[in-house]
Amino acid sequence: MESLTVPDLDARTLEGLRILADAHHRTPEAEARAILVQVVRGLGEADDLLASMVGDEEAEAGGHRRRGQQ
C-alpha cells in the first residue's frame, strides 16, 4: 500500500482534523484517509450524475477533459 505525506498543514487544519477524528473515534490518519476516500468517491458520483444529465459518453466512462480539449 502506498502512503501519502502532506507537509505544511496549518495548525487550524490539524486541530480540525483531530476534532473530527475524536468525534468519529478514529486516529487523525484514519480520519484523513476517510475524508480523502469520501471526496474522491464523490467526484466519481458527480461525474456519473453529470453524464446522466447531459449524456456525455466520456463522463460516463469516468474520463475528465483537460482545459482546452474537446
Side-chain angles (χ1 to χ4, degrees), residues 3-65:
S3 66
L4 172 70
T5 301
V6 183
D8 302 324
L9 289 174
D10 61 79
R12 185 175 180 184
T13 300
L14 288 172
E15 183 60 21
L17 185 61
R18 285 187 200 102
I19 291 168
L20 288 170
D22 286 346
H24 296 128
H25 308 287
R26 299 191 263 233
T27 65
E29 292 82 4
E31 187 66 26
R33 189 178 305 110
I35 291 167
L36 287 169
V37 166
Q38 182 179 13
V39 168
V40 170
R41 285 184 182 161
L43 290 175
E45 292 168 6
D47 282 347
D48 293 344
L49 177 61
L50 178 61
S52 71
M53 293 171 66
V54 298
D56 185 342
E57 293 172 9
E58 184 176 349
E60 286 174 357
H64 296 276
R65 290 187 180 144

Side-chain angles (χ1 to χ4, degrees), residues 64-70:
H64 296 276
R65 290 187 180 144
R66 292 186 183 184
R67 218 177 255 166
Q69 289 185 336
Q70 295 286 330

